[in-house]
Amino acid sequence: MRASVLQRIWDHMPPRAIGTATISFGLVSVPVSLFSASESSATISFNMLHKSCGNRLKQQYICSKEGGIVEKDDIAKGYEFAKGQYVTFTPEEIKALDEKATNSIDIAEFVPLDSVDRMYLDKVYYLGPDKGGDRAYRLLGEALKVTGRAAVGQYSARGKQHLVLVRPLDGVLVMEQLHYPAELKPVAEVPHPDTPVKDAELALARQLIEQSSTDEFRPENYRDTVRERVLEAIQRKVEGQEITADAAPPETKIIDLMDALKASLAKKGAQTSEMKPAKRAASKEDEVEATPRKRKTGSR
């Protein structure tokens, strides 16, 4: 039973297009289909239940002033422009404010791919060629690849206008939905220390980084162990088992920064040594075999 239930949870459905659009740059149009680049099923959610009977609960809205339940027909949407003061909008007014979906990804400029800071990234979609768009799709992908650039533009969908970046990836076009600058908080708002860095500490930190450095990012080396643990716990519950919390590991605190760096380097060095095959000590027999034997010569 365990394998079958977990298999159903882990199985991925075949990719299905969630919409269509047209990439427009200059007078060139590329019809594309949009695919989600991530699985929403990866997030495990729990439902709210009634303890006594186990049935799901329904959400209701309570008036903060009168205390009674408010029915759907009596609910309006409003914007708080001052503390406790709202302007209300009818559904028709909100609909009129929504951005009209044009299904067009309007490219405004092409920029070096590495010039777009990753902090702007919000969501990622795959773009596949739609009917009649194979040649233009392939051309745009190859042009972006050889120039090392990405296309920046805007895309309107579901009542909103999104800032997007289109880039090539393994023969496929990827559309990254970006944050607008106004949506990001200035990094200057984050407090940061002006404590000077000691040369000795910096040298040890660099050494630690070098020991753990690789030439490329391999995401397949990482797994969501928390999700796996939750799935296993759900399966044990399905089978009628009880779940017990693991004892918390004792906290270890290293106050001195130099001690922490040295301990980290020692631990990393030990792990590296364990991964290497141990060298066998040379025996006397090995030494004899390693010593070249003199060839005996005799008279004929």
Side-chain angles (χ1 to χ4, degrees):
M1 182 177 180
R2 177 186 295 272
S4 61
V5 173
L6 289 178
Q7 187 63 42
R8 289 200 302 270
I9 298 176
W10 280 102
D11 280 348
H12 294 292
M13 296 293 292
R16 295 176 56 185
I18 59 175
T20 59
T22 300
I23 302 176
S24 301
F25 64 102
L27 298 178
V28 180
S29 296
V30 186
V32 294
S33 297
L34 277 71
F35 299 86
S36 177
S38 60
E39 292 287 347
S40 58
S41 59
T43 303
I44 301 173
S45 59
F46 294 88
N47 295 313
M48 305 295 288
L49 307 177
H50 190 188
K51 272 189 177 181
S52 61
C53 65
N55 289 310
R56 289 188 62 175
L57 300 177
K58 293 182 179 180
Q59 187 180 47
Q60 291 181 320
Y61 291 93
I62 307 297
C63 179
S64 59
K65 180 180 179 180
E66 299 177 358
I69 298 174
V70 180
E71 300 298 333
K72 184 178 179 180
D73 293 340
D74 293 327
I75 296 176
K77 289 187 176 181
Y79 179 82
E80 187 177 21
F81 65 93
K83 184 65 175 179
Q85 299 184 51
Y86 300 85
V87 287
T88 59
F89 289 81
T90 65
E92 292 75 19
E93 289 173 330
I94 293 178
K95 187 176 181 180
L97 294 174
D98 286 345
E99 178 70 18
K100 299 296 185 295
T102 60
N103 292 329
S104 177
I105 303 172
D106 298 316
I107 303 304
E109 59 182 343
F110 297 90
V111 300
L113 181 57
D114 57 6
S115 69
V116 182
D117 197 293
R118 306 313 297 161
M119 70 182 297
Y120 285 96
L121 179 62
D122 184 14
K123 298 178 182 177
V124 181
Y125 299 91
Y126 294 139
L127 301 178
D130 206 1
K131 186 176 180 180
D134 288 2
R135 289 185 60 193
Y137 179 94
R138 182 67 186 276
L139 175 63
L140 177 59
E142 285 297 312
L144 292 175
K145 181 179 178 180
V146 298
T147 59
R149 292 184 175 264
V152 177
Q154 291 180 300
Y155 171 60
S156 299
R158 291 182 288 277
K160 295 183 179 180
Q161 187 180 55
H162 303 285
L163 178 64
V164 297
L165 177 144
V166 177
R167 65 182 179 91
L169 176 65
D170 297 334
V172 174
L173 290 177
V174 175
M175 183 176 75
E176 298 181 351
Q177 183 175 310
L178 306 178
H179 288 290
Y180 284 100
E183 296 174 333
L184 296 176
K185 294 182 178 180
V187 68
E189 294 182 0
V190 181
H192 55 280
D194 293 327
T195 307
V197 176
K198 297 180 180 179
D199 292 339
E201 294 173 348
L202 181 59
L204 289 177
R206 289 184 60 181
Q207 187 178 347
L208 181 59
I209 290 174
E210 289 298 328
Q211 283 188 351
S212 303
S213 295
T214 56
D215 294 332
E216 59 180 317
F217 170 53
R218 295 184 179 274
E220 63 272 13
N221 292 341
Y222 300 87
R223 301 185 349 261
D224 187 348
T225 56
V226 173
R227 181 174 186 268
E228 291 177 1
R229 188 170 68 248
V230 173
L231 287 175
E232 290 291 342
I234 292 173
Q235 185 57 42
R236 292 200 299 272
K237 276 285 190 177
V238 171
E239 295 172 356
Q241 301 179 31
E242 292 296 327
I243 307 299
T244 56
D246 296 332
E251 293 185 3
T252 56
K253 294 183 179 180
I254 302 178
I255 299 176
D256 186 78
L257 184 56
M258 285 291 290
D259 289 344
L261 289 168
K262 291 177 180 177
S264 299
L265 284 169
K267 182 178 179 181
K268 188 64 179 178
Q271 292 174 346
T272 304
S273 300
E274 291 176 359
M275 295 175 62
K276 294 181 179 179
K279 292 183 179 180
R280 185 168 60 91
S283 62
K284 291 184 177 180
E285 294 180 357
D286 294 331
E287 293 176 0
V288 172
E289 290 294 332
T291 303
R293 295 181 180 180
K294 294 182 180 180
R295 182 179 178 182
K296 293 181 180 181
T297 58
S299 59
R300 294 184 180 178

